Amino acid sequence: MDHLLTLLRAAAEDTRLRILALAAREDLTVSDYVHVLGQSQPRVSRHLKLLVEAGLLERFREAQFTRFRLTTGGDDAALVREFVRRLDPKHARIAADRARLDGLLQRRQTAAVRFFRDNAQRWDELRALHVADREIERALAHHLPLGARRLLDIGTGTGRLLEVLAPKVEHAVGVDQSREMLALARANLARAGIDNAEIRQGDMYALPFEAESFDVVTIHHVLHYADDPSAALAEAARVVKPGGLVLVVDFSPHDLVELKREHAHVHLGFADNQVQGWLKSAGLAPLEPIHFPGRRLMTGIWRGEREAPARAAVRPPAAIQGASR
């Protein structure tokens, strides 16, 4: 009863309801809310503090920024989304807030698209060398663990893999270090209508998640940029649950040395025993790799499973044991 009253009191204020409506659309910073709401930074910070303390919002770090999102855990998450659902989107203040937020996001998306466009030719040249992306995407979707609920995509880039895989799980998270890519991924997910995925800034060597947080972790064309691929896989293994799976997509060994010079690749592909050795060292059981020949590059999918604890055998009752003799 007391907890419910706390939630209701925290939400029962004009500005805080507007904040909840905005948080349902995007993970925003204090300065974002100041811009959209047209209120002072101290006032906005006070409202955000009350909502976080009540459990309606969560805060998380992204580089030097703190972002806020609707709470994601337990019954409180369902309740806060019900608050937002009941808000009239045509209400003058709600509609005006949405228009200002759309303008802010559009400016950021334009900058992100410019970054992607400036680099698109190099990526198109690389894409022409290997198997079509859609073949890999279909294979990854096929090999998702049965009943997987939470997915993490490390080095999510444009968020393409989240567009493909998020509809197959309850919740998906993409992490990347590039702010330009984060902005582009958020815009792409919004355009695709993906509402069960979030984008976070994060370091693949120090993921901002508790151990055993995800049922499946994907690392798609990321390891060839990694200074220490084994450490990246060990960190991926740390956050996967027992019975969960780490899926690694990358190139098999090749001799295209120009990829180091022109695309900043650190490694010229990986051998099966190399990746499987890293998976095993990370505490995962390597499964049979899958290969996809391309025009000049072979793509591999390597899978590592975190084995679930073995169940203790149940001894049958004595009466049944005797009857079976």
mmCIF file of all heavy atoms in Angstrom, residues 246-296:
data_model
loop_
_atom_site.group_PDB
_atom_site.id
_atom_site.type_symbol
_atom_site.label_atom_id
_atom_site.label_comp_id
_atom_site.label_asym_id
_atom_site.label_seq_id
_atom_site.Cartn_x
_atom_site.Cartn_y
_atom_site.Cartn_z
ATOM 1 N N VAL A 246 26.436 -17.543 -26.621
ATOM 2 C CA VAL A 246 27.163 -16.437 -27.238
ATOM 3 C C VAL A 246 27.330 -16.767 -28.716
ATOM 4 O O VAL A 246 27.821 -17.851 -29.063
ATOM 5 C CB VAL A 246 28.538 -16.222 -26.572
ATOM 6 C CG1 VAL A 246 29.343 -15.181 -27.354
ATOM 7 C CG2 VAL A 246 28.374 -15.785 -25.123
ATOM 8 N N LEU A 247 26.904 -15.858 -29.585
ATOM 9 C CA LEU A 247 26.983 -16.045 -31.040
ATOM 10 C C LEU A 247 27.965 -15.023 -31.617
ATOM 11 O O LEU A 247 27.755 -13.815 -31.480
ATOM 12 C CB LEU A 247 25.608 -15.845 -31.671
ATOM 13 C CG LEU A 247 24.533 -16.894 -31.336
ATOM 14 C CD1 LEU A 247 23.157 -16.396 -31.739
ATOM 15 C CD2 LEU A 247 24.841 -18.200 -32.038
ATOM 16 N N VAL A 248 29.020 -15.513 -32.231
ATOM 17 C CA VAL A 248 30.073 -14.655 -32.784
ATOM 18 C C VAL A 248 30.045 -14.763 -34.306
ATOM 19 O O VAL A 248 30.107 -15.866 -34.855
ATOM 20 C CB VAL A 248 31.460 -15.070 -32.270
ATOM 21 C CG1 VAL A 248 32.538 -14.148 -32.831
ATOM 22 C CG2 VAL A 248 31.487 -15.076 -30.745
ATOM 23 N N VAL A 249 29.943 -13.621 -34.974
ATOM 24 C CA VAL A 249 30.011 -13.578 -36.439
ATOM 25 C C VAL A 249 31.259 -12.805 -36.832
ATOM 26 O O VAL A 249 31.470 -11.678 -36.360
ATOM 27 C CB VAL A 249 28.780 -12.892 -37.047
ATOM 28 C CG1 VAL A 249 28.908 -12.812 -38.573
ATOM 29 C CG2 VAL A 249 27.509 -13.610 -36.660
ATOM 30 N N ASP A 250 32.094 -13.403 -37.668
ATOM 31 C CA ASP A 250 33.281 -12.684 -38.144
ATOM 32 C C ASP A 250 33.872 -13.429 -39.339
ATOM 33 O O ASP A 250 33.325 -14.440 -39.777
ATOM 34 C CB ASP A 250 34.313 -12.508 -37.035
ATOM 35 C CG ASP A 250 34.910 -11.102 -37.061
ATOM 36 O OD1 ASP A 250 35.532 -10.750 -38.082
ATOM 37 O OD2 ASP A 250 34.733 -10.355 -36.079
ATOM 38 N N PHE A 251 34.996 -12.911 -39.828
ATOM 39 C CA PHE A 251 35.614 -13.488 -41.013
ATOM 40 C C PHE A 251 36.552 -14.627 -40.642
ATOM 41 O O PHE A 251 37.241 -14.584 -39.620
ATOM 42 C CB PHE A 251 36.396 -12.422 -41.779
ATOM 43 C CG PHE A 251 35.549 -11.287 -42.273
ATOM 44 C CD1 PHE A 251 35.868 -9.976 -41.963
ATOM 45 C CD2 PHE A 251 34.429 -11.541 -43.042
ATOM 46 C CE1 PHE A 251 35.088 -8.926 -42.415
ATOM 47 C CE2 PHE A 251 33.634 -10.508 -43.504
ATOM 48 C CZ PHE A 251 33.960 -9.188 -43.183
ATOM 49 N N SER A 252 36.578 -15.642 -41.483
ATOM 50 C CA SER A 252 37.601 -16.672 -41.385
ATOM 51 C C SER A 252 38.928 -16.073 -41.882
ATOM 52 O O SER A 252 38.942 -14.996 -42.503
ATOM 53 C CB SER A 252 37.201 -17.876 -42.232
ATOM 54 O OG SER A 252 36.034 -18.483 -41.714
ATOM 55 N N PRO A 253 40.058 -16.755 -41.646
ATOM 56 C CA PRO A 253 41.358 -16.199 -42.061
ATOM 57 C C PRO A 253 41.393 -15.846 -43.551
ATOM 58 O O PRO A 253 40.885 -16.589 -44.385
ATOM 59 C CB PRO A 253 42.339 -17.332 -41.737
ATOM 60 C CG PRO A 253 41.694 -18.065 -40.609
ATOM 61 C CD PRO A 253 40.218 -18.034 -40.908
ATOM 62 N N HIS A 254 41.986 -14.690 -43.859
ATOM 63 C CA HIS A 254 42.081 -14.229 -45.255
ATOM 64 C C HIS A 254 43.371 -13.436 -45.423
ATOM 65 O O HIS A 254 44.090 -13.164 -44.446
ATOM 66 C CB HIS A 254 40.853 -13.385 -45.628
ATOM 67 C CG HIS A 254 40.697 -12.152 -44.773
ATOM 68 N ND1 HIS A 254 41.365 -10.982 -45.038
ATOM 69 C CD2 HIS A 254 39.956 -11.935 -43.654
ATOM 70 C CE1 HIS A 254 41.030 -10.078 -44.129
ATOM 71 N NE2 HIS A 254 40.181 -10.615 -43.278
ATOM 72 N N ASP A 255 43.671 -13.065 -46.666
ATOM 73 C CA ASP A 255 44.921 -12.354 -46.948
ATOM 74 C C ASP A 255 44.675 -10.951 -47.503
ATOM 75 O O ASP A 255 45.552 -10.385 -48.180
ATOM 76 C CB ASP A 255 45.785 -13.162 -47.915
ATOM 77 C CG ASP A 255 45.066 -13.426 -49.243
ATOM 78 O OD1 ASP A 255 43.906 -12.984 -49.391
ATOM 79 O OD2 ASP A 255 45.672 -14.074 -50.127
ATOM 80 N N LEU A 256 43.520 -10.368 -47.235
ATOM 81 C CA LEU A 256 43.207 -9.028 -47.745
ATOM 82 C C LEU A 256 43.810 -7.982 -46.803
ATOM 83 O O LEU A 256 43.119 -7.350 -46.002
ATOM 84 C CB LEU A 256 41.694 -8.839 -47.866
ATOM 85 C CG LEU A 256 40.975 -9.820 -48.797
ATOM 86 C CD1 LEU A 256 39.492 -9.521 -48.856
ATOM 87 C CD2 LEU A 256 41.578 -9.777 -50.194
ATOM 88 N N VAL A 257 45.101 -7.785 -46.918
ATOM 89 C CA VAL A 257 45.803 -6.892 -45.995
ATOM 90 C C VAL A 257 45.326 -5.445 -46.125
ATOM 91 O O VAL A 257 45.498 -4.638 -45.213
ATOM 92 C CB VAL A 257 47.328 -6.969 -46.222
ATOM 93 C CG1 VAL A 257 47.845 -8.340 -45.840
ATOM 94 C CG2 VAL A 257 47.686 -6.644 -47.671
ATOM 95 N N GLU A 258 44.705 -5.110 -47.256
ATOM 96 C CA GLU A 258 44.217 -3.741 -47.424
ATOM 97 C C GLU A 258 43.107 -3.388 -46.434
ATOM 98 O O GLU A 258 42.835 -2.220 -46.185
ATOM 99 C CB GLU A 258 43.729 -3.511 -48.857
ATOM 100 C CG GLU A 258 42.545 -4.373 -49.293
ATOM 101 C CD GLU A 258 42.966 -5.676 -49.942
ATOM 102 O OE1 GLU A 258 44.073 -6.152 -49.649
ATOM 103 O OE2 GLU A 258 42.169 -6.203 -50.753
ATOM 104 N N LEU A 259 42.466 -4.423 -45.865
ATOM 105 C CA LEU A 259 41.420 -4.142 -44.880
ATOM 106 C C LEU A 259 41.998 -3.519 -43.609
ATOM 107 O O LEU A 259 41.305 -2.782 -42.908
ATOM 108 C CB LEU A 259 40.656 -5.423 -44.535
ATOM 109 C CG LEU A 259 39.853 -6.055 -45.678
ATOM 110 C CD1 LEU A 259 39.041 -7.238 -45.171
ATOM 111 C CD2 LEU A 259 38.950 -5.033 -46.333
ATOM 112 N N LYS A 260 43.254 -3.811 -43.323
ATOM 113 C CA LYS A 260 43.901 -3.160 -42.177
ATOM 114 C C LYS A 260 44.123 -1.683 -42.472
ATOM 115 O O LYS A 260 43.893 -0.823 -41.621
ATOM 116 C CB LYS A 260 45.229 -3.836 -41.858
ATOM 117 C CG LYS A 260 45.106 -5.178 -41.163
ATOM 118 C CD LYS A 260 46.451 -5.605 -40.589
ATOM 119 C CE LYS A 260 46.289 -6.835 -39.710
ATOM 120 N NZ LYS A 260 47.541 -7.181 -38.993
ATOM 121 N N ARG A 261 44.551 -1.392 -43.661
ATOM 122 C CA ARG A 261 44.889 -0.016 -44.033
ATOM 123 C C ARG A 261 43.633 0.816 -44.301
ATOM 124 O O ARG A 261 43.539 1.955 -43.860
ATOM 125 C CB ARG A 261 45.794 -0.038 -45.274
ATOM 126 C CG ARG A 261 46.249 1.334 -45.742
ATOM 127 C CD ARG A 261 47.145 1.233 -46.964
ATOM 128 N NE ARG A 261 46.464 0.654 -48.131
ATOM 129 C CZ ARG A 261 46.661 -0.572 -48.568
ATOM 130 N NH1 ARG A 261 47.497 -1.388 -47.943
ATOM 131 N NH2 ARG A 261 46.008 -1.027 -49.640
ATOM 132 N N GLU A 262 42.677 0.245 -45.010
ATOM 133 C CA GLU A 262 41.538 1.029 -45.467
ATOM 134 C C GLU A 262 40.322 0.926 -44.554
ATOM 135 O O GLU A 262 39.435 1.790 -44.606
ATOM 136 C CB GLU A 262 41.150 0.586 -46.882
ATOM 137 C CG GLU A 262 42.273 0.803 -47.900
ATOM 138 C CD GLU A 262 41.949 0.196 -49.252
ATOM 139 O OE1 GLU A 262 40.794 -0.238 -49.434
ATOM 140 O OE2 GLU A 262 42.850 0.153 -50.115
ATOM 141 N N HIS A 263 40.244 -0.127 -43.721
ATOM 142 C CA HIS A 263 39.064 -0.309 -42.873
ATOM 143 C C HIS A 263 39.407 -0.468 -41.398
ATOM 144 O O HIS A 263 38.525 -0.785 -40.590
ATOM 145 C CB HIS A 263 38.272 -1.536 -43.343
ATOM 146 C CG HIS A 263 37.667 -1.370 -44.702
ATOM 147 N ND1 HIS A 263 36.396 -0.873 -44.906
ATOM 148 C CD2 HIS A 263 38.179 -1.627 -45.940
ATOM 149 C CE1 HIS A 263 36.134 -0.837 -46.201
ATOM 150 N NE2 HIS A 263 37.195 -1.289 -46.850
ATOM 151 N N ALA A 264 40.666 -0.267 -41.057
ATOM 152 C CA ALA A 264 41.112 -0.298 -39.661
ATOM 153 C C ALA A 264 40.926 -1.656 -38.995
ATOM 154 O O ALA A 264 40.792 -1.733 -37.776
ATOM 155 C CB ALA A 264 40.398 0.785 -38.847
ATOM 156 N N HIS A 265 40.905 -2.741 -39.794
ATOM 157 C CA HIS A 265 40.832 -4.066 -39.189
ATOM 158 C C HIS A 265 42.142 -4.359 -38.456
ATOM 159 O O HIS A 265 43.228 -4.113 -38.974
ATOM 160 C CB HIS A 265 40.595 -5.137 -40.254
ATOM 161 C CG HIS A 265 39.216 -5.115 -40.822
ATOM 162 N ND1 HIS A 265 38.646 -6.208 -41.450
ATOM 163 C CD2 HIS A 265 38.265 -4.138 -40.851
ATOM 164 C CE1 HIS A 265 37.419 -5.891 -41.855
ATOM 165 N NE2 HIS A 265 37.173 -4.648 -41.508
ATOM 166 N N VAL A 266 42.022 -4.917 -37.269
ATOM 167 C CA VAL A 266 43.195 -5.308 -36.496
ATOM 168 C C VAL A 266 43.613 -6.733 -36.840
ATOM 169 O O VAL A 266 44.796 -7.064 -36.853
ATOM 170 C CB VAL A 266 42.920 -5.178 -34.979
ATOM 171 C CG1 VAL A 266 44.111 -5.647 -34.153
ATOM 172 C CG2 VAL A 266 42.568 -3.732 -34.633
ATOM 173 N N HIS A 267 42.627 -7.586 -37.153
ATOM 174 C CA HIS A 267 42.887 -9.005 -37.421
ATOM 175 C C HIS A 267 42.364 -9.368 -38.811
ATOM 176 O O HIS A 267 41.299 -8.908 -39.234
ATOM 177 C CB HIS A 267 42.188 -9.885 -36.384
ATOM 178 C CG HIS A 267 42.550 -9.549 -34.980
ATOM 179 N ND1 HIS A 267 43.676 -10.030 -34.353
ATOM 180 C CD2 HIS A 267 41.932 -8.737 -34.085
ATOM 181 C CE1 HIS A 267 43.731 -9.548 -33.125
ATOM 182 N NE2 HIS A 267 42.697 -8.760 -32.937
ATOM 183 N N LEU A 268 43.118 -10.226 -39.493
ATOM 184 C CA LEU A 268 42.702 -10.718 -40.813
ATOM 185 C C LEU A 268 41.982 -12.053 -40.643
ATOM 186 O O LEU A 268 42.405 -13.104 -41.115
ATOM 187 C CB LEU A 268 43.919 -10.855 -41.730
ATOM 188 C CG LEU A 268 44.640 -9.545 -42.076
ATOM 189 C CD1 LEU A 268 45.829 -9.810 -42.984
ATOM 190 C CD2 LEU A 268 43.683 -8.541 -42.716
ATOM 191 N N GLY A 269 40.862 -12.013 -39.946
ATOM 192 C CA GLY A 269 40.030 -13.189 -39.760
ATOM 193 C C GLY A 269 40.517 -14.085 -38.633
ATOM 194 O O GLY A 269 41.571 -13.854 -38.029
ATOM 195 N N PHE A 270 39.711 -15.112 -38.356
ATOM 196 C CA PHE A 270 39.984 -16.010 -37.237
ATOM 197 C C PHE A 270 39.745 -17.454 -37.656
ATOM 198 O O PHE A 270 38.782 -17.761 -38.370
ATOM 199 C CB PHE A 270 39.068 -15.681 -36.053
ATOM 200 C CG PHE A 270 39.152 -14.254 -35.602
ATOM 201 C CD1 PHE A 270 38.193 -13.322 -35.999
ATOM 202 C CD2 PHE A 270 40.194 -13.825 -34.790
ATOM 203 C CE1 PHE A 270 38.271 -11.998 -35.597
ATOM 204 C CE2 PHE A 270 40.282 -12.494 -34.383
ATOM 205 C CZ PHE A 270 39.321 -11.586 -34.787
ATOM 206 N N ALA A 271 40.592 -18.342 -37.165
ATOM 207 C CA ALA A 271 40.429 -19.774 -37.412
ATOM 208 C C ALA A 271 39.435 -20.357 -36.413
ATOM 209 O O ALA A 271 39.250 -19.824 -35.312
ATOM 210 C CB ALA A 271 41.778 -20.485 -37.272
ATOM 211 N N ASP A 272 38.809 -21.466 -36.807
ATOM 212 C CA ASP A 272 37.817 -22.098 -35.926
ATOM 213 C C ASP A 272 38.413 -22.439 -34.561
ATOM 214 O O ASP A 272 37.822 -22.124 -33.520
ATOM 215 C CB ASP A 272 37.280 -23.379 -36.571
ATOM 216 C CG ASP A 272 36.386 -23.104 -37.769
ATOM 217 O OD1 ASP A 272 35.968 -21.941 -37.944
ATOM 218 O OD2 ASP A 272 36.106 -24.053 -38.529
ATOM 219 N N ASN A 273 39.574 -23.089 -34.568
ATOM 220 C CA ASN A 273 40.148 -23.510 -33.288
ATOM 221 C C ASN A 273 40.551 -22.329 -32.420
ATOM 222 O O ASN A 273 40.555 -22.410 -31.195
ATOM 223 C CB ASN A 273 41.344 -24.455 -33.504
ATOM 224 C CG ASN A 273 42.466 -23.810 -34.291
ATOM 225 O OD1 ASN A 273 42.359 -22.673 -34.742
ATOM 226 N ND2 ASN A 273 43.558 -24.543 -34.468
ATOM 227 N N GLN A 274 40.851 -21.196 -33.053
ATOM 228 C CA GLN A 274 41.210 -19.989 -32.316
ATOM 229 C C GLN A 274 40.006 -19.452 -31.540
ATOM 230 O O GLN A 274 40.063 -19.233 -30.325
ATOM 231 C CB GLN A 274 41.713 -18.943 -33.314
ATOM 232 C CG GLN A 274 42.339 -17.713 -32.707
ATOM 233 C CD GLN A 274 42.872 -16.791 -33.801
ATOM 234 O OE1 GLN A 274 42.392 -16.814 -34.956
ATOM 235 N NE2 GLN A 274 43.866 -15.988 -33.466
ATOM 236 N N VAL A 275 38.886 -19.263 -32.248
ATOM 237 C CA VAL A 275 37.689 -18.731 -31.599
ATOM 238 C C VAL A 275 37.136 -19.733 -30.591
ATOM 239 O O VAL A 275 36.740 -19.371 -29.480
ATOM 240 C CB VAL A 275 36.608 -18.365 -32.642
ATOM 241 C CG1 VAL A 275 35.372 -17.803 -31.945
ATOM 242 C CG2 VAL A 275 37.149 -17.354 -33.642
ATOM 243 N N GLN A 276 37.114 -20.998 -30.970
ATOM 244 C CA GLN A 276 36.598 -22.013 -30.054
ATOM 245 C C GLN A 276 37.463 -22.125 -28.802
ATOM 246 O O GLN A 276 36.954 -22.363 -27.705
ATOM 247 C CB GLN A 276 36.504 -23.359 -30.776
ATOM 248 C CG GLN A 276 35.403 -23.391 -31.822
ATOM 249 C CD GLN A 276 35.334 -24.718 -32.555
ATOM 250 O OE1 GLN A 276 36.352 -25.248 -32.999
ATOM 251 N NE2 GLN A 276 34.139 -25.267 -32.668
ATOM 252 N N GLY A 277 38.767 -21.919 -28.938
ATOM 253 C CA GLY A 277 39.640 -21.911 -27.775
ATOM 254 C C GLY A 277 39.327 -20.766 -26.841
ATOM 255 O O GLY A 277 39.312 -20.929 -25.605
ATOM 256 N N TRP A 278 39.052 -19.582 -27.408
ATOM 257 C CA TRP A 278 38.681 -18.438 -26.575
ATOM 258 C C TRP A 278 37.347 -18.692 -25.869
ATOM 259 O O TRP A 278 37.187 -18.342 -24.699
ATOM 260 C CB TRP A 278 38.579 -17.184 -27.438
ATOM 261 C CG TRP A 278 39.894 -16.682 -27.939
ATOM 262 C CD1 TRP A 278 41.111 -16.814 -27.338
ATOM 263 C CD2 TRP A 278 40.118 -15.959 -29.153
ATOM 264 N NE1 TRP A 278 42.086 -16.220 -28.091
ATOM 265 C CE2 TRP A 278 41.513 -15.680 -29.211
ATOM 266 C CE3 TRP A 278 39.303 -15.512 -30.184
ATOM 267 C CZ2 TRP A 278 42.083 -14.971 -30.272
ATOM 268 C CZ3 TRP A 278 39.863 -14.810 -31.229
ATOM 269 C CH2 TRP A 278 41.240 -14.550 -31.277
ATOM 270 N N LEU A 279 36.396 -19.265 -26.589
ATOM 271 C CA LEU A 279 35.104 -19.557 -25.976
ATOM 272 C C LEU A 279 35.261 -20.540 -24.815
ATOM 273 O O LEU A 279 34.682 -20.367 -23.739
ATOM 274 C CB LEU A 279 34.139 -20.126 -27.019
ATOM 275 C CG LEU A 279 33.692 -19.169 -28.131
ATOM 276 C CD1 LEU A 279 32.913 -19.929 -29.200
ATOM 277 C CD2 LEU A 279 32.834 -18.038 -27.566
ATOM 278 N N LYS A 280 36.085 -21.561 -25.029
ATOM 279 C CA LYS A 280 36.300 -22.559 -23.992
ATOM 280 C C LYS A 280 36.995 -21.942 -22.780
ATOM 281 O O LYS A 280 36.631 -22.221 -21.627
ATOM 282 C CB LYS A 280 37.124 -23.714 -24.549
ATOM 283 C CG LYS A 280 37.209 -24.915 -23.613
ATOM 284 C CD LYS A 280 37.880 -26.094 -24.305
ATOM 285 C CE LYS A 280 37.910 -27.315 -23.390
ATOM 286 N NZ LYS A 280 38.551 -28.484 -24.072
ATOM 287 N N SER A 281 37.979 -21.082 -23.031
ATOM 288 C CA SER A 281 38.679 -20.416 -21.932
ATOM 289 C C SER A 281 37.741 -19.504 -21.142
ATOM 290 O O SER A 281 37.964 -19.265 -19.953
ATOM 291 C CB SER A 281 39.852 -19.593 -22.473
ATOM 292 O OG SER A 281 40.828 -20.430 -23.067
ATOM 293 N N ALA A 282 36.702 -18.996 -21.816
ATOM 294 C CA ALA A 282 35.725 -18.121 -21.151
ATOM 295 C C ALA A 282 34.674 -18.908 -20.383
ATOM 296 O O ALA A 282 33.764 -18.324 -19.800
ATOM 297 C CB ALA A 282 35.052 -17.236 -22.192
ATOM 298 N N GLY A 283 34.785 -20.230 -20.390
ATOM 299 C CA GLY A 283 33.839 -21.054 -19.648
ATOM 300 C C GLY A 283 32.637 -21.500 -20.446
ATOM 301 O O GLY A 283 31.640 -21.944 -19.871
ATOM 302 N N LEU A 284 32.728 -21.396 -21.770
ATOM 303 C CA LEU A 284 31.626 -21.798 -22.642
ATOM 304 C C LEU A 284 31.974 -23.098 -23.363
ATOM 305 O O LEU A 284 33.143 -23.383 -23.619
ATOM 306 C CB LEU A 284 31.330 -20.705 -23.667
ATOM 307 C CG LEU A 284 31.019 -19.316 -23.111
ATOM 308 C CD1 LEU A 284 30.861 -18.315 -24.248
ATOM 309 C CD2 LEU A 284 29.767 -19.326 -22.250
ATOM 310 N N ALA A 285 30.954 -23.852 -23.703
ATOM 311 C CA ALA A 285 31.143 -25.086 -24.466
ATOM 312 C C ALA A 285 30.998 -24.767 -25.951
ATOM 313 O O ALA A 285 29.901 -24.408 -26.402
ATOM 314 C CB ALA A 285 30.120 -26.130 -24.045
ATOM 315 N N PRO A 286 32.076 -24.849 -26.739
ATOM 316 C CA PRO A 286 31.982 -24.525 -28.171
ATOM 317 C C PRO A 286 31.097 -25.534 -28.908
ATOM 318 O O PRO A 286 31.171 -26.738 -28.667
ATOM 319 C CB PRO A 286 33.432 -24.616 -28.651
ATOM 320 C CG PRO A 286 34.268 -24.553 -27.416
ATOM 321 C CD PRO A 286 33.446 -25.190 -26.335
ATOM 322 N N LEU A 287 30.257 -25.007 -29.789
ATOM 323 C CA LEU A 287 29.424 -25.839 -30.649
ATOM 324 C C LEU A 287 30.010 -25.823 -32.066
ATOM 325 O O LEU A 287 30.926 -25.065 -32.367
ATOM 326 C CB LEU A 287 27.977 -25.332 -30.651
ATOM 327 C CG LEU A 287 27.310 -25.224 -29.271
ATOM 328 C CD1 LEU A 287 25.901 -24.663 -29.412
ATOM 329 C CD2 LEU A 287 27.282 -26.570 -28.568
ATOM 330 N N GLU A 288 29.464 -26.643 -32.931
ATOM 331 C CA GLU A 288 29.978 -26.762 -34.301
ATOM 332 C C GLU A 288 29.854 -25.411 -35.025
ATOM 333 O O GLU A 288 28.775 -24.809 -35.071
ATOM 334 C CB GLU A 288 29.183 -27.814 -35.064
ATOM 335 C CG GLU A 288 29.742 -28.151 -36.436
ATOM 336 C CD GLU A 288 31.063 -28.897 -36.366
ATOM 337 O OE1 GLU A 288 31.372 -29.492 -35.306
ATOM 338 O OE2 GLU A 288 31.797 -28.875 -37.373
ATOM 339 N N PRO A 289 30.949 -24.892 -35.598
ATOM 340 C CA PRO A 289 30.860 -23.612 -36.318
ATOM 341 C C PRO A 289 30.109 -23.753 -37.637
ATOM 342 O O PRO A 289 29.961 -24.864 -38.176
ATOM 343 C CB PRO A 289 32.331 -23.245 -36.549
ATOM 344 C CG PRO A 289 33.056 -24.542 -36.526
ATOM 345 C CD PRO A 289 32.311 -25.438 -35.573
ATOM 346 N N ILE A 290 29.655 -22.625 -38.142
ATOM 347 C CA ILE A 290 28.914 -22.575 -39.409
ATOM 348 C C ILE A 290 29.663 -21.622 -40.334
ATOM 349 O O ILE A 290 30.092 -20.545 -39.898
ATOM 350 C CB ILE A 290 27.474 -22.081 -39.183
ATOM 351 C CG1 ILE A 290 26.783 -22.910 -38.098
ATOM 352 C CG2 ILE A 290 26.671 -22.106 -40.476
ATOM 353 C CD1 ILE A 290 25.550 -22.253 -37.534
ATOM 354 N N HIS A 291 29.811 -21.975 -41.616
ATOM 355 C CA HIS A 291 30.588 -21.151 -42.543
ATOM 356 C C HIS A 291 29.745 -20.732 -43.743
ATOM 357 O O HIS A 291 28.923 -21.509 -44.250
ATOM 358 C CB HIS A 291 31.833 -21.908 -43.017
ATOM 359 C CG HIS A 291 32.753 -22.271 -41.900
ATOM 360 N ND1 HIS A 291 32.898 -23.553 -41.446
ATOM 361 C CD2 HIS A 291 33.563 -21.512 -41.126
ATOM 362 C CE1 HIS A 291 33.768 -23.574 -40.442
ATOM 363 N NE2 HIS A 291 34.181 -22.352 -40.229
ATOM 364 N N PHE A 292 30.008 -19.501 -44.213
ATOM 365 C CA PHE A 292 29.292 -18.940 -45.356
ATOM 366 C C PHE A 292 30.325 -18.384 -46.345
ATOM 367 O O PHE A 292 30.915 -17.333 -46.107
ATOM 368 C CB PHE A 292 28.359 -17.813 -44.913
ATOM 369 C CG PHE A 292 27.252 -18.256 -43.991
ATOM 370 C CD1 PHE A 292 27.488 -18.374 -42.629
ATOM 371 C CD2 PHE A 292 25.991 -18.554 -44.488
ATOM 372 C CE1 PHE A 292 26.478 -18.776 -41.770
ATOM 373 C CE2 PHE A 292 24.974 -18.958 -43.632
ATOM 374 C CZ PHE A 292 25.221 -19.078 -42.275
ATOM 375 N N PRO A 293 30.568 -19.086 -47.452
ATOM 376 C CA PRO A 293 31.529 -18.574 -48.440
ATOM 377 C C PRO A 293 31.008 -17.297 -49.088
ATOM 378 O O PRO A 293 29.804 -17.137 -49.327
ATOM 379 C CB PRO A 293 31.621 -19.712 -49.471
ATOM 380 C CG PRO A 293 31.051 -20.911 -48.781
ATOM 381 C CD PRO A 293 30.028 -20.401 -47.821
ATOM 382 N N GLY A 294 31.918 -16.365 -49.345
ATOM 383 C CA GLY A 294 31.593 -15.144 -50.063
ATOM 384 C C GLY A 294 32.483 -14.997 -51.273
ATOM 385 O O GLY A 294 33.221 -15.920 -51.637
ATOM 386 N N ARG A 295 32.423 -13.832 -51.910
ATOM 387 C CA ARG A 295 33.223 -13.642 -53.127
ATOM 388 C C ARG A 295 34.711 -13.731 -52.823
ATOM 389 O O ARG A 295 35.461 -14.396 -53.526
ATOM 390 C CB ARG A 295 32.891 -12.288 -53.773
ATOM 391 C CG ARG A 295 33.533 -12.093 -55.139
ATOM 392 C CD ARG A 295 32.861 -10.966 -55.895
ATOM 393 N NE ARG A 295 33.099 -9.684 -55.253
ATOM 394 C CZ ARG A 295 34.178 -8.928 -55.481
ATOM 395 N NH1 ARG A 295 35.105 -9.347 -56.330
ATOM 396 N NH2 ARG A 295 34.331 -7.776 -54.885
ATOM 397 N N ARG A 296 35.144 -13.052 -51.763
ATOM 398 C CA ARG A 296 36.564 -13.120 -51.387
ATOM 399 C C ARG A 296 36.760 -13.373 -49.892
ATOM 400 O O ARG A 296 37.892 -13.580 -49.459
ATOM 401 C CB ARG A 296 37.277 -11.823 -51.792
ATOM 402 C CG ARG A 296 37.340 -11.586 -53.286
ATOM 403 C CD ARG A 296 38.208 -10.389 -53.601
ATOM 404 N NE ARG A 296 39.607 -10.617 -53.226
ATOM 405 C CZ ARG A 296 40.527 -9.649 -53.228
ATOM 406 N NH1 ARG A 296 40.186 -8.411 -53.570
ATOM 407 N NH2 ARG A 296 41.767 -9.916 -52.877
#
